[in-house]
Amino acid sequence: MSFRKILLAGAALAASTAAMAPANASIIDRPHFKVLGVVIVWAANDADGSVPIATDFVIHDDATGTAADTDLIAATGRTLVTGELTATSDGVTTNALGAVLTLNDGATDFETIDTDAPSGFAAFDVTGVTLESDDLTYESSFFVASNTVFNIEAVASETTASGDFDLTDISYSMTVDTDGTVADSGIAYGSAAQDPQGTFPAVTDLDALTTATNVYEGGRRKAASAGNIVAQSVRFDATYTLGSGLAYDLSQGAGEVEAEVTYTVYVP
């Protein structure tokens, strides 16, 4: 075949290939969904003690590359008496801070008295008698629902201290209750929630919380299935005890101590 014929055949093949090529066009599709992290904290309204009230509605947005939490509710919350839908007291009259004492001679329990309003005893023989009490414990709670992991930070300040007591004498612990019913309201929580599987860093007393410290570090979101806010909530319980969890004894001394503990819920 001559060189001229080869060139003609190549040109014909190129023209045929060009005719079969698709048009030079593009279609772009970019579906995009975004759900921000949401954490809802509810208990009582600190202003008037009304319940049940959400006082924290935290939105987490890291779209700018810098994590940021925004609380959409300006109100301040107050904890609940554990197991009840009752706001805790905001003063020194909190019942759990008053010692309940019993005289015990090993055979007879004498009249119980409240040290905030003692009623008195009849004369008694001191032989073999000890002065006892139950643990002096204060328990409070709040509820949290979330679609994301969160931490809880706490800071304690001493508002009253006299005699032999200060913040080192208030033992502290926190736990989580995943489901139950609030006794005095019939409100059931946790049916649409899951065990958060978080951790509680060791904090032995309130003196360890004088600077902001994590008391809970989240493992996973709280909401597990469709439901309302209460159903998707778990309850966090704080326990404060005078001393190291032992019944009161005269060797512990006398005095008064009160603290204010502020909890901040945030998305890490």
Side-chain angles (χ1 to χ4, degrees):
M1 179 180 293
S2 68
F3 183 69
R4 183 172 178 275
K5 288 182 178 180
I6 292 174
L7 290 176
L8 291 174
L13 178 62
S16 174
T17 303
M20 293 187 296
N24 185 18
S26 298
I27 297 177
I28 300 174
D29 203 3
R30 296 191 178 98
H32 178 214
F33 304 93
K34 181 178 181 180
V35 178
L36 300 180
V38 175
V39 183
I40 300 171
V41 183
W42 59 275
N45 191 338
D46 188 49
D48 57 12
S50 56
V51 293
I53 298 293
T55 55
D56 283 314
F57 197 105
V58 178
I59 298 294
H60 180 75
D61 184 6
D62 59 0
T64 62
T66 302
D69 286 347
T70 301
D71 186 0
L72 301 181
I73 300 177
T76 301
R78 191 192 312 175
T79 55
L80 301 169
V81 176
T82 298
E84 300 179 16
L85 200 63
T86 303
T88 54
S89 172
D90 60 354
V92 296
T93 56
T94 303
N95 292 335
L97 296 181
V100 178
L101 305 176
T102 302
L103 291 172
N104 191 330
D105 64 359
T108 304
D109 286 333
F110 289 85
E111 176 185 1
T112 298
I113 62 171
D114 185 329
T115 56
D116 286 337
S119 57
F121 284 108
F124 62 92
D125 182 354
V126 298
T127 304
V129 173
T130 57
L131 189 64
E132 299 176 340
S133 80
D134 294 330
D135 295 349
L136 304 186
T137 299
Y138 174 98
E139 297 177 324
S140 61
S141 303
F142 56 89
F143 294 84
V144 183
S146 78
N147 67 351
T148 187
V149 173
F150 63 84
N151 294 346
I152 301 175
E153 182 182 83
V155 61
S157 59
E158 187 178 83
T159 56
T160 299
S162 65
D164 297 304
F165 304 136
D166 58 28
L167 290 184
T168 62
D169 295 295
I170 303 180
S171 300
Y172 174 84
S173 65
M174 175 173 274
T175 58
V176 62
D177 188 59
T178 57
D179 62 89
T181 301
V182 182
D184 60 348
S185 68
I187 291 178
Y189 60 90
S191 61
Q194 61 186 351
D195 186 338
Q197 296 182 344
T199 59
F200 296 92
V203 177
T204 57
D205 57 54
L206 290 191
D207 190 57
L209 297 179
T210 53
T211 58
T213 303
N214 280 350
V215 291
Y216 169 77
E217 295 174 348
R220 58 181 179 174
R221 68 175 185 269
K222 306 303 168 280
S225 59
N228 58 41
I229 292 174
V230 174
Q232 293 176 335
S233 297
V234 296
R235 190 184 76 192
F236 285 89
D237 301 330
T239 300
Y240 312 83
T241 304
L242 183 65
S244 301
L246 302 175
Y248 176 79
D249 180 88
L250 291 178
S251 62
Q252 291 179 245
E256 181 179 4
V257 60
E258 181 185 7
E260 180 173 281
V261 183
T262 301
Y263 293 99
T264 300
V265 179
Y266 69 97
V267 180

